[in-house]
Amino acid sequence: MLLAIDCGNTNTVFAVYDGDTKFREWRAASKSGRTADEMGVWLIQLMALKGLRPESITEAIIASVVPAAVYDLRLLCHTYFSAPPLVIGDPDVDLGLRVLVDRPEEVGADRLVNTVAAHTTYKGPLIVIDFGTATTFDVVDADGNYCGGVIAPGVNLSLEALHMAAAQLPRVAIGRPRSVIGKGTVSAMRSGIYLGYVSMIEGLTARIQQEFGAAMTVVATGGLASLFTEATDVIHHLDNDLTLRGLLQIHRRNAAQRTHTRSDHGSVHMT
Protein backbone atom coordinates (compact mmCIF):
# COMPACT_ATOMS: atom_id res chain seq x y z
CA MET A 1 0.00 0.00 0.00
CA LEU A 2 1.03 3.60 -0.62
CA LEU A 3 1.07 6.32 2.03
CA ALA A 4 0.52 9.71 0.36
CA ILE A 5 1.21 12.79 2.51
CA ASP A 6 0.06 16.29 1.56
CA CYS A 7 1.49 18.81 4.04
CA GLY A 8 -0.06 22.26 3.71
CA ASN A 9 0.33 25.39 5.79
CA THR A 10 -2.83 24.67 7.77
CA ASN A 11 -3.48 20.91 7.56
CA THR A 12 -1.56 17.75 6.71
CA VAL A 13 -3.47 14.95 5.00
CA PHE A 14 -2.35 11.31 5.26
CA ALA A 15 -4.01 8.97 2.76
CA VAL A 16 -3.48 5.25 2.21
CA TYR A 17 -3.98 3.84 -1.29
CA ASP A 18 -4.46 0.21 -2.21
CA GLY A 19 -3.68 0.33 -5.91
CA ASP A 20 -5.84 3.11 -7.37
CA THR A 21 -8.35 2.96 -4.49
CA LYS A 22 -8.10 5.34 -1.55
CA PHE A 23 -8.45 3.06 1.48
CA ARG A 24 -8.59 5.76 4.14
CA GLU A 25 -7.68 9.41 4.79
CA TRP A 26 -6.78 11.27 7.98
CA ARG A 27 -6.17 14.97 8.60
CA ALA A 28 -4.06 16.75 11.23
CA ALA A 29 -3.15 20.35 11.93
CA SER A 30 0.26 21.25 10.50
CA LYS A 31 1.75 22.23 13.84
CA SER A 32 5.31 23.50 13.84
CA GLY A 33 7.74 21.24 15.65
CA ARG A 34 5.65 18.08 15.58
CA THR A 35 8.11 15.19 15.60
CA ALA A 36 8.12 11.97 13.59
CA ASP A 37 7.39 10.04 16.81
CA GLU A 38 4.33 12.15 17.59
CA MET A 39 2.97 11.72 14.09
CA GLY A 40 3.83 8.04 14.08
CA VAL A 41 1.96 7.24 17.31
CA TRP A 42 -1.08 9.25 16.18
CA LEU A 43 -1.21 7.79 12.67
CA ILE A 44 -0.60 4.15 13.64
CA GLN A 45 -3.42 4.29 16.22
CA LEU A 46 -5.84 5.64 13.62
CA MET A 47 -4.72 3.03 11.10
CA ALA A 48 -5.24 0.27 13.69
CA LEU A 49 -8.86 1.35 14.17
CA LYS A 50 -9.39 0.48 10.50
CA GLY A 51 -7.51 -2.82 10.74
CA LEU A 52 -4.42 -1.53 8.95
CA ARG A 53 -0.96 -2.56 10.20
CA PRO A 54 2.21 -0.47 9.68
CA GLU A 55 3.85 -3.24 7.65
CA SER A 56 1.02 -2.92 5.09
CA ILE A 57 2.62 0.36 3.98
CA THR A 58 5.36 -0.46 1.51
CA GLU A 59 5.76 2.86 -0.33
CA ALA A 60 5.33 6.56 0.42
CA ILE A 61 5.29 9.95 -1.27
CA ILE A 62 5.33 13.45 0.26
CA ALA A 63 4.36 16.90 -1.00
CA SER A 64 5.03 19.68 1.48
CA VAL A 65 4.86 23.47 1.33
CA VAL A 66 6.33 23.60 4.85
CA PRO A 67 10.09 23.03 4.46
CA ALA A 68 10.62 22.56 8.21
CA ALA A 69 8.21 19.60 8.22
CA VAL A 70 9.93 17.56 5.49
CA TYR A 71 12.66 16.07 7.70
CA ASP A 72 10.20 14.62 10.23
CA LEU A 73 7.83 13.42 7.50
CA ARG A 74 10.75 11.57 5.87
CA LEU A 75 11.72 10.13 9.24
CA LEU A 76 8.13 9.06 9.87
CA CYS A 77 8.09 7.03 6.64
CA HIS A 78 11.50 5.46 7.31
CA THR A 79 11.01 4.69 11.01
CA TYR A 80 7.40 3.62 11.30
CA PHE A 81 6.71 2.16 7.87
CA SER A 82 10.15 1.19 6.48
CA ALA A 83 9.09 3.01 3.30
CA PRO A 84 11.68 5.51 2.00
CA PRO A 85 9.49 8.25 0.50
CA LEU A 86 9.56 10.10 -2.78
CA VAL A 87 9.54 13.83 -2.00
CA ILE A 88 8.17 16.31 -4.54
CA GLY A 89 10.96 18.73 -5.34
CA ASP A 90 13.80 16.22 -5.02
CA PRO A 91 15.83 16.17 -8.24
CA ASP A 92 15.27 12.45 -8.82
CA VAL A 93 11.46 12.73 -8.80
CA ASP A 94 10.04 13.02 -12.32
CA LEU A 95 6.78 14.97 -12.53
CA GLY A 96 6.41 14.58 -16.28
CA LEU A 97 5.99 18.31 -16.90
CA ARG A 98 7.97 21.49 -17.49
CA VAL A 99 7.80 24.40 -15.07
CA LEU A 100 7.73 27.46 -17.34
CA VAL A 101 8.42 30.22 -14.81
CA ASP A 102 11.42 32.37 -13.92
CA ARG A 103 12.33 30.44 -10.76
CA PRO A 104 10.91 26.89 -10.89
CA GLU A 105 12.28 26.06 -7.45
CA GLU A 106 9.90 28.60 -5.89
CA VAL A 107 6.71 26.89 -7.07
CA GLY A 108 4.91 25.09 -4.24
CA ALA A 109 4.91 21.31 -4.37
CA ASP A 110 1.11 21.21 -4.07
CA ARG A 111 0.70 23.43 -7.13
CA LEU A 112 2.84 21.12 -9.25
CA VAL A 113 1.04 18.03 -7.98
CA ASN A 114 -2.32 19.66 -8.76
CA THR A 115 -1.04 20.41 -12.26
CA VAL A 116 -0.23 16.75 -12.87
CA ALA A 117 -3.64 15.53 -11.66
CA ALA A 118 -5.64 18.22 -13.44
CA HIS A 119 -3.95 17.62 -16.78
CA THR A 120 -4.42 13.87 -16.51
CA THR A 121 -8.12 14.22 -15.68
CA TYR A 122 -9.37 17.22 -17.66
CA LYS A 123 -6.89 17.87 -20.51
CA GLY A 124 -6.76 21.13 -22.50
CA PRO A 125 -5.54 24.44 -21.07
CA LEU A 126 -6.61 24.73 -17.44
CA ILE A 127 -6.91 27.07 -14.51
CA VAL A 128 -6.64 25.26 -11.16
CA ILE A 129 -7.96 27.25 -8.19
CA ASP A 130 -6.87 25.93 -4.79
CA PHE A 131 -8.74 27.36 -1.79
CA GLY A 132 -6.17 26.84 0.95
CA THR A 133 -4.33 29.12 3.38
CA ALA A 134 -3.70 31.13 0.23
CA THR A 135 -6.05 31.10 -2.75
CA THR A 136 -3.97 30.18 -5.79
CA PHE A 137 -4.79 30.23 -9.48
CA ASP A 138 -2.47 27.99 -11.52
CA VAL A 139 -2.25 27.98 -15.30
CA VAL A 140 -1.66 24.69 -17.13
CA ASP A 141 -1.16 24.55 -20.90
CA ALA A 142 -2.57 21.90 -23.22
CA ASP A 143 0.63 19.84 -22.88
CA GLY A 144 0.34 19.72 -19.10
CA ASN A 145 3.13 22.19 -18.36
CA TYR A 146 2.94 24.60 -15.44
CA CYS A 147 2.85 28.16 -16.83
CA GLY A 148 2.58 30.32 -13.73
CA GLY A 149 -0.29 31.71 -11.75
CA VAL A 150 -1.71 34.09 -9.19
CA ILE A 151 -1.50 34.02 -5.37
CA ALA A 152 -4.09 35.81 -3.22
CA PRO A 153 -4.76 35.71 0.55
CA GLY A 154 -6.95 32.82 1.60
CA VAL A 155 -10.52 33.43 2.72
CA ASN A 156 -9.95 32.63 6.41
CA LEU A 157 -6.70 34.58 6.40
CA SER A 158 -8.56 37.62 5.08
CA LEU A 159 -11.25 37.28 7.74
CA GLU A 160 -8.65 37.02 10.51
CA ALA A 161 -6.72 40.03 9.18
CA LEU A 162 -9.92 42.08 9.06
CA HIS A 163 -10.73 41.21 12.67
CA MET A 164 -7.17 41.84 13.90
CA ALA A 165 -6.76 45.20 12.15
CA ALA A 166 -10.14 46.72 12.97
CA ALA A 167 -11.10 46.90 16.64
CA GLN A 168 -14.87 46.99 16.05
CA LEU A 169 -15.04 44.12 13.54
CA PRO A 170 -15.75 40.70 15.08
CA ARG A 171 -14.66 37.27 13.89
CA VAL A 172 -17.30 35.87 11.56
CA ALA A 173 -17.86 32.51 9.90
CA ILE A 174 -17.59 32.42 6.15
CA GLY A 175 -20.90 31.73 4.43
CA ARG A 176 -23.06 32.73 1.51
CA PRO A 177 -24.94 35.96 2.36
CA ARG A 178 -28.66 36.41 1.77
CA SER A 179 -28.11 39.75 0.07
CA VAL A 180 -25.26 41.87 -1.24
CA ILE A 181 -26.09 44.87 0.94
CA GLY A 182 -25.53 44.01 4.58
CA LYS A 183 -27.90 45.43 7.20
CA GLY A 184 -25.43 44.97 10.03
CA THR A 185 -21.72 44.59 10.66
CA VAL A 186 -21.66 40.79 10.47
CA SER A 187 -23.82 40.56 7.35
CA ALA A 188 -21.79 43.31 5.70
CA MET A 189 -18.54 41.46 6.45
CA ARG A 190 -19.93 38.17 5.15
CA SER A 191 -21.05 39.85 1.95
CA GLY A 192 -17.73 41.60 1.47
CA ILE A 193 -15.65 38.48 2.00
CA TYR A 194 -17.84 35.94 0.23
CA LEU A 195 -19.02 37.98 -2.74
CA GLY A 196 -15.68 39.76 -2.89
CA TYR A 197 -14.01 36.37 -3.41
CA VAL A 198 -16.61 35.34 -5.97
CA SER A 199 -15.90 38.56 -7.87
CA MET A 200 -12.15 37.90 -7.61
CA ILE A 201 -12.61 34.38 -8.98
CA GLU A 202 -14.69 35.61 -11.89
CA GLY A 203 -12.42 38.58 -12.61
CA LEU A 204 -9.12 36.71 -12.41
CA THR A 205 -10.26 33.73 -14.46
CA ALA A 206 -11.47 36.11 -17.18
CA ARG A 207 -8.21 38.07 -17.15
CA ILE A 208 -6.08 34.90 -17.18
CA GLN A 209 -7.94 33.53 -20.19
CA GLN A 210 -7.69 36.85 -21.99
CA GLU A 211 -3.93 36.97 -21.43
CA PHE A 212 -3.45 33.28 -22.20
CA GLY A 213 -5.39 33.67 -25.42
CA ALA A 214 -7.71 30.70 -25.17
CA ALA A 215 -10.80 29.42 -23.37
CA MET A 216 -9.77 27.34 -20.37
CA THR A 217 -11.36 24.71 -18.14
CA VAL A 218 -11.49 25.86 -14.51
CA VAL A 219 -11.01 23.29 -11.74
CA ALA A 220 -11.48 24.08 -8.04
CA THR A 221 -9.99 22.20 -5.12
CA GLY A 222 -9.24 22.80 -1.44
CA GLY A 223 -11.22 23.07 1.76
CA LEU A 224 -13.60 25.90 0.81
CA ALA A 225 -13.87 25.07 -2.89
CA SER A 226 -17.42 23.70 -2.64
CA LEU A 227 -18.64 26.89 -0.95
CA PHE A 228 -17.55 29.05 -3.87
CA THR A 229 -18.24 26.61 -6.69
CA GLU A 230 -21.97 26.87 -5.99
CA ALA A 231 -21.90 30.65 -6.38
CA THR A 232 -20.41 31.02 -9.86
CA ASP A 233 -20.58 29.25 -13.20
CA VAL A 234 -16.98 30.05 -14.17
CA ILE A 235 -15.82 26.98 -12.19
CA HIS A 236 -16.44 23.89 -14.29
CA HIS A 237 -15.27 21.11 -11.95
CA LEU A 238 -15.01 20.63 -8.17
CA ASP A 239 -12.27 18.12 -7.36
CA ASN A 240 -11.38 17.78 -3.68
CA ASP A 241 -9.11 14.76 -4.26
CA LEU A 242 -6.93 16.54 -6.83
CA THR A 243 -3.71 16.78 -4.79
CA LEU A 244 -3.84 13.24 -3.43
CA ARG A 245 -4.63 11.86 -6.87
CA GLY A 246 -1.67 13.79 -8.27
CA LEU A 247 0.61 12.21 -5.67
CA LEU A 248 -0.68 8.78 -6.64
CA GLN A 249 -0.02 9.47 -10.33
CA ILE A 250 3.48 10.82 -9.72
CA HIS A 251 4.34 7.83 -7.56
CA ARG A 252 3.06 5.46 -10.23
CA ARG A 253 5.13 7.23 -12.90
CA ASN A 254 8.34 7.07 -10.88
CA ALA A 255 7.76 3.48 -9.76
CA ALA A 256 7.32 2.43 -13.39
CA GLN A 257 10.56 4.18 -14.33
CA ARG A 258 12.45 2.45 -11.52
CA THR A 259 11.08 -0.91 -12.60
CA HIS A 260 12.11 -0.21 -16.20
CA THR A 261 15.59 0.85 -15.09
CA ARG A 262 16.07 -2.27 -13.00
CA SER A 263 14.88 -4.40 -15.89
CA ASP A 264 17.36 -2.74 -18.25
CA HIS A 265 20.23 -3.17 -15.81
CA GLY A 266 19.35 -6.80 -15.21
CA SER A 267 18.98 -7.78 -18.85
CA VAL A 268 21.60 -9.91 -20.60
CA HIS A 269 22.52 -9.09 -24.19
CA MET A 270 23.89 -11.96 -26.26
CA THR A 271 25.72 -11.67 -29.58
Side-chain angles (χ1 to χ4, degrees):
M1 288 184 167
L2 171 69
L3 174 63
I5 303 174
D6 171 26
C7 179
N9 288 298
T10 303
N11 292 313
T12 300
V13 180
F14 301 82
V16 173
Y17 280 88
D18 185 2
D20 291 340
T21 303
K22 185 168 65 174
F23 177 78
R24 193 63 60 179
E25 174 186 321
W26 300 275
R27 188 177 299 264
S30 298
K31 294 180 180 178
S32 176
R34 178 172 285 172
T35 68
D37 293 331
E38 289 175 297
M39 290 185 287
V41 169
W42 171 82
L43 184 56
I44 286 175
Q45 287 181 333
L46 289 174
M47 290 169 59
L49 291 174
K50 301 300 178 182
L52 194 62
R53 299 173 62 84
E55 53 266 30
S56 300
I57 304 299
T58 57
E59 298 174 289
I61 186 167
I62 299 167
S64 176
V65 298
V66 185
V70 174
Y71 173 81
D72 281 297
L73 289 172
R74 283 185 191 268
L75 191 60
L76 167 72
C77 296
H78 279 280
T79 304
Y80 287 90
F81 303 104
S82 300
L86 295 176
V87 179
I88 305 301
D90 282 359
D92 60 339
V93 177
D94 179 17
L95 302 181
L97 56 80
R98 292 186 295 157
V99 184
L100 306 177
V101 298
D102 296 335
R103 298 179 66 86
E105 69 277 6
E106 292 181 353
V107 182
D110 56 340
R111 303 174 77 181
L112 297 178
V113 172
N114 286 346
T115 295
V116 171
H119 174 68
T120 302
T121 306
Y122 303 105
K123 307 297 182 184
L126 305 166
I127 300 172
V128 180
I129 308 175
D130 192 343
F131 293 89
T133 305
T135 300
T136 58
F137 297 71
D138 292 315
V139 177
V140 186
D141 68 19
D143 295 322
N145 299 312
Y146 180 85
C147 300
V150 176
I151 302 174
V155 181
N156 288 323
L157 192 62
S158 296
L159 280 169
E160 187 64 18
L162 197 59
H163 166 71
M164 294 294 291
Q168 290 187 305
L169 297 182
R171 285 189 174 91
V172 299
I174 186 67
R176 190 169 186 172
R178 296 178 180 177
S179 62
V180 177
I181 301 172
K183 297 299 185 180
T185 299
V186 171
S187 61
M189 289 175 67
R190 283 184 176 150
S191 180
I193 291 292
Y194 185 86
L195 296 176
Y197 264 81
V198 171
S199 297
M200 180 183 74
I201 292 162
E202 294 172 342
L204 281 176
T205 54
R207 288 175 179 271
I208 289 170
Q209 291 179 77
Q210 182 180 22
E211 187 172 300
F212 191 80
M216 307 173 79
T217 299
V218 181
V219 182
T221 191
L224 293 176
S226 60
L227 186 62
F228 290 97
T229 299
E230 67 183 23
T232 178
D233 57 6
V234 303
I235 297 175
H236 303 115
H237 301 283
L238 171 64
D239 193 336
N240 285 323
D241 275 340
L242 195 69
T243 308
L244 291 174
R245 201 165 66 252
L247 285 172
L248 177 64
Q249 291 162 0
I250 291 167
H251 180 271
R252 184 186 298 126
R253 178 186 184 89
N254 285 266
Q257 289 179 349
R258 290 198 303 271
T259 300
H260 181 70
T261 299
R262 286 195 297 266
S263 177
D264 285 348
H265 288 170
S267 61
V268 176
H269 299 281
M270 299 182 66
T271 59

